[in-house]
Amino acid sequence: MTFSIVARAVDPGTGEPTWGVAVASKFLAVGSAVPAAVAGVGAIATQAEANVAYKGLALAHLDEGATASVALERLLEEDERRDHRQVGIVDVDGNAASHTGSSCFDWAGGRTGDGYAIQGNILTGPEVVEAMEAAWLASSPDEPLQHRLLAALAAGDEAGGDSRGRQSAALLVVREEAGYGGNDDIAADLRVDDHTAPITELKRLLDLSDFYLTASTEDEKVQVTPEIEAEVEAYAATQGATGFLAWVATENYEMRVAEDLSWIDRRILDIVRTAK
């Protein structure tokens, strides 16, 4: 009752690998059941008659050095209901494996390639996974993995998606030290549990996540001159803050302003100026 993409990508500039899963379904809170990923290990989606134990088991196998195909084989050989399962796995090196049990409801199937596994069941037809694969292959390696995954998920939805309708979607992406403040590996962990347009809502949440939870790029930074500092401090005073950095903290803009106020993200500066 679900369609998903599991993938690994490497930033062409830094060489840093990232792993992730994007999933959608006519099922409540699909993000609580299907995806799992660990930076430096791999990622998995477990669906159809989902065996949620697969998540921990698969990641343990991968962490011990198993390839995606070996990890999948181990999962299935220990499961008497393997014919009802659907699974996609990508390992630390980007090897991919996918399984669709013979008892999964039609249309059910999947595709794999270098760095990705795409699968779905109770779909409108094979065109769903075909569209997802085409969107994935057409996406730029320069884009963040979360945006590439979401584009593939949206393509599958536009091609028909879950034949029963829409309800939930989720996105999980991991990269070493990619989390808030660099203190964990969660680059994105977003869920839409019950919504009439879950993928559209997931896109809105990803845009907010990019703004609030990722650091400004060099192109987004404006150097703070004495004039700009006076401007933003005056604005903070109108908001009842003890200073501009105090206002930044209350608005959760810490990732968009330097701790010493040496630079400010141009979008934050626009907020200040627009509010005047």
Side-chain angles (χ1 to χ4, degrees):
M1 354 178 229
T2 303
F3 54 103
S4 66
I5 175 171
V6 184
R8 172 191 182 268
V10 177
D11 186 299
T14 66
E16 292 183 82
T18 308
W19 297 261
V21 183
V23 57
S25 182
K26 180 66 170 67
F27 182 86
L28 180 68
V30 70
S32 68
V34 171
V38 173
V41 176
I44 176 176
T46 174
Q47 54 200 54
E49 187 179 305
N51 184 342
V52 296
Y54 275 9
K55 295 187 286 187
L57 291 170
L59 291 169
H61 292 320
L62 296 176
D63 193 37
E64 292 169 357
T67 63
S69 58
V70 169
L72 179 58
E73 182 181 347
R74 290 176 182 174
L75 294 177
L76 298 177
E77 68 185 8
E78 298 168 359
D79 189 347
E80 294 181 354
R81 293 191 62 78
R82 65 182 72 89
D83 290 345
H84 298 263
R85 314 298 191 195
Q86 190 171 55
V87 192
I89 302 176
V90 172
D91 63 30
V92 65
D93 296 317
N95 302 301
S98 183
H99 164 78
T100 298
S102 58
S103 296
C104 291
F105 294 141
D106 286 335
W107 187 88
R111 291 191 169 205
T112 60
D114 184 17
Y116 67 91
I118 298 169
Q119 45 281 314
N121 62 93
I122 316 186
L123 304 182
T124 57
E127 65 275 5
V128 177
V129 295
E130 291 167 3
M132 293 175 71
E133 182 178 47
W136 169 258
L137 294 174
S139 64
S140 171
D142 292 324
E143 288 184 88
L145 179 59
Q146 48 267 44
H147 289 272
R148 298 178 67 191
L149 292 174
L150 188 53
L153 197 68
D157 186 56
E158 292 169 6
D162 189 321
S163 62
R164 300 163 308 149
R166 303 174 176 89
Q167 187 169 7
S168 65
L171 181 66
L172 175 62
V173 176
V174 297
R175 186 179 69 254
E176 291 184 1
E177 300 181 354
Y180 187 79
N183 293 316
D184 68 17
D185 299 333
I186 306 298
D189 185 4
L190 302 170
R191 299 179 183 182
V192 178
D193 288 343
D194 187 24
H195 199 282
T196 56
I199 295 176
T200 299
E201 177 65 4
L202 190 61
K203 173 65 166 63
R204 186 184 73 84
L205 293 179
L206 181 57
D207 288 342
L208 289 174
S209 177
D210 286 345
F211 182 58
Y212 284 100
L213 302 178
T214 64
S216 301
T217 65
E218 292 303 316
D219 290 340
E220 293 170 328
K221 296 177 181 179
V222 175
Q223 297 305 305
V224 174
T225 63
E227 292 77 16
I228 291 177
E229 183 173 1
E231 179 183 8
V232 298
E233 292 293 355
Y235 172 77
T238 69
Q239 302 303 301
T242 57
F244 182 66
L245 290 177
W247 175 81
V248 167
T250 60
E251 296 297 320
N252 302 316
Y253 293 146
E254 297 95 328
M255 301 290 282
R256 296 286 167 179
V257 178
E259 292 182 0
D260 61 358
L261 198 51
S262 59
W263 58 264
I264 178 174
D265 191 290
R266 64 180 67 257
R267 284 177 288 182
I268 304 301
L269 190 55
D270 286 343
I271 289 171
V272 169
R273 290 173 172 171
T274 302
K276 289 181 179 179

